[in-house]
Amino acid sequence: MLKITRKVEYALIALRHMQQSPNNSVSSASQIASKYGIPQHLLAKILQQMTRDGLIQAVKGPTGGYKIKADLKKISLKDFFEKLEGPLGLMDCYFNTDCLQMKACNILSPIQKINQNMRDMFSKTTLLEITQ
Amino acid sequence: MLKITRKVEYALIALRHMQQSPNNSVSSASQIASKYGIPQHLLAKILQQMTRDGLIQAVKGPTGGYKIKADLKKISLKDFFEKLEGPLGLMDCYFNTDCLQMKACNILSPIQKINQNMRDMFSKTTLLEITQ
DNA sequence: GTATATACGACAATTTTAATCGTATATAAA
DNA sequence: TTTATATACGATTAAAATTGTCGTATATAC
Ligand code: FES
Ligand code: FES
């Protein structure tokens, strides 16, 4: 539990790779995939999503690839996580309402506090801090 | 991602229930299960584990049940989580070594920092703060 | 034209989590 | 001493989430 997904892991690896790319030149999905041992097609899909999210920019065709588009110091880790995986919360009770199985849940408000702490923590960290 | 498990959720609910039990009288697994809509047998197993962990005390036989044994303000949320679910980490790379698929992982040290932040956060919170 | 790259959706495999089942033991109460 | 209720624990199954694959379309440098 309390794990990040491979998807986020791969996204971070790719971002950091691009960040270190000289002169912000493009890196192709297959270059990155083979360097870090990531399934090529899977990485491609993740990069495509990050493109839609405006984090990176795609260049099509041969010699194409991806490069960083957004200002990473303006994006919090929380926003990044939520772009990739949706709302951040320790439990699902806050997003879907079908947890009424718990007729009288007694831990909702305590968990809310922890939840807020976690969100605060990830809000204070920028993507740049991670990738540089 | 970054979710706690039902197991932990159920454990917290049960602990809080016991905490609120007058005079620290015992509560049976089935009482708690039916009150909060938790699968009985599943809750029982969790309570048994908490008993082995020294968090609560079991009383066998009819009129039996469980009551709190440990001093909850001396137990951090981190210790509690790790008792139930094992070592706490954002990724598995720190515990098992078969992530060498990543021939040249470039995010290990950045992730370590976030990891440490998370561990610190859960270390500073006591179980009592959650259950009371 | 051809090779290489992104784009995208459908599908399958794997792993993890959640829940169930069966049986044994302890003990309070009738 | 019998019975009902409760904990104890391992094996197994079911469900859900994650991870990975495949097929096809489109763009573009050479
Ligand atoms: S409401 Fe979902 S566990 Fe409390
Ligand atoms: S080592 Fe496992 S992802 Fe970097």
Side-chain angles (χ1 to χ4, degrees):
Chain A
M1 66 168 205
L2 290 173
K3 295 263 190 296
I4 60 174
T5 60
R6 292 265 186 201
K7 186 172 167 185
V8 165
E9 200 175 308
Y10 295 158
L12 282 173
I13 290 175
L15 267 184
R16 188 167 205 212
H17 178 91
M18 291 183 225
Q19 188 92 31
Q20 292 169 342
S21 183
N23 201 25
N24 201 21
S25 58
V26 301
S27 313
S28 76
S30 65
Q31 272 173 7
I32 301 176
S34 83
K35 173 161 186 184
Y36 300 99
I38 302 172
Q40 221 177 90
H41 241 67
L42 182 52
L43 179 62
K45 271 204 315 192
I46 296 169
L47 293 172
Q48 285 156 27
Q49 181 175 354
M50 285 202 281
T51 302
R52 284 193 298 270
D53 288 340
L55 288 169
I56 58 183
Q57 179 185 344
V59 176
K60 285 190 175 186
T63 76
Y66 300 89
K67 58 183 174 182
I68 290 184
K69 180 183 178 190
D71 184 352
L72 297 194
K73 73 171 175 294
K74 289 184 180 167
I75 299 178
S76 72
L77 212 47
K78 169 176 170 294
D79 290 342
F80 177 66
F81 286 167
E82 296 199 325
K83 273 178 196 295
L84 288 178
E85 299 285 357
L88 210 58
L90 292 174
M91 312 190 319
D92 288 324
C93 312
Y94 309 116
F95 315 122
N96 63 24
T97 52
D98 60 347
C99 192
L100 301 179
Q101 30 172 314
M102 309 280 155
K103 299 168 203 150
C105 180
N106 62 358
I107 57 163
L108 260 181
S109 90
I111 291 280
Q112 284 282 23
K113 291 180 209 161
I114 313 177
N115 221 21
Q116 195 53 51
N117 285 346
M118 205 180 66
R119 295 169 71 89
D120 287 349
M121 189 185 94
F122 289 129
S123 293
K124 283 174 193 156
T125 312
T126 70
L127 252 188
L128 186 66
E129 291 174 63
I130 303 305
T131 56
Q132 82 182 350
Chain B
M1 67 167 205
L2 291 173
K3 294 263 192 297
I4 60 173
T5 59
R6 292 264 188 202
K7 186 172 167 186
V8 165
E9 199 174 308
Y10 295 158
L12 282 173
I13 290 176
L15 267 184
R16 188 167 205 212
H17 179 91
M18 290 182 225
Q19 188 92 32
Q20 292 169 340
S21 183
N23 201 25
N24 200 20
S25 57
V26 300
S27 313
S28 75
S30 66
Q31 272 173 7
I32 301 176
S34 83
K35 174 161 185 185
Y36 300 99
I38 303 172
Q40 220 177 90
H41 239 68
L42 182 52
L43 179 61
K45 271 204 316 191
I46 296 169
L47 293 172
Q48 284 156 27
Q49 180 175 353
M50 285 202 282
T51 302
R52 283 193 299 270
D53 289 339
L55 288 169
I56 58 183
Q57 179 186 342
V59 176
K60 285 189 173 185
T63 77
Y66 300 89
K67 58 184 174 181
I68 290 183
K69 181 183 179 190
D71 184 354
L72 296 194
K73 74 170 174 297
K74 289 184 180 167
I75 299 178
S76 72
L77 213 45
K78 168 176 170 293
D79 290 341
F80 177 66
F81 286 167
E82 295 200 325
K83 272 178 196 294
L84 288 178
E85 300 283 359
L88 211 58
L90 291 175
M91 312 188 320
D92 287 325
C93 313
Y94 309 116
F95 314 122
N96 64 23
T97 53
D98 60 348
C99 191
L100 301 179
Q101 30 174 313
M102 308 281 154
K103 299 166 203 150
C105 180
N106 63 358
I107 58 163
L108 259 180
S109 91
I111 291 280
Q112 283 281 23
K113 291 180 209 161
I114 313 177
N115 220 22
Q116 195 52 51
N117 285 346
M118 204 179 66
R119 295 169 70 90
D120 287 349
M121 190 185 95
F122 289 129
S123 294
K124 283 174 192 156
T125 312
T126 70
L127 252 187
L128 187 65
E129 291 174 64
I130 304 304
T131 57
Q132 84 181 349

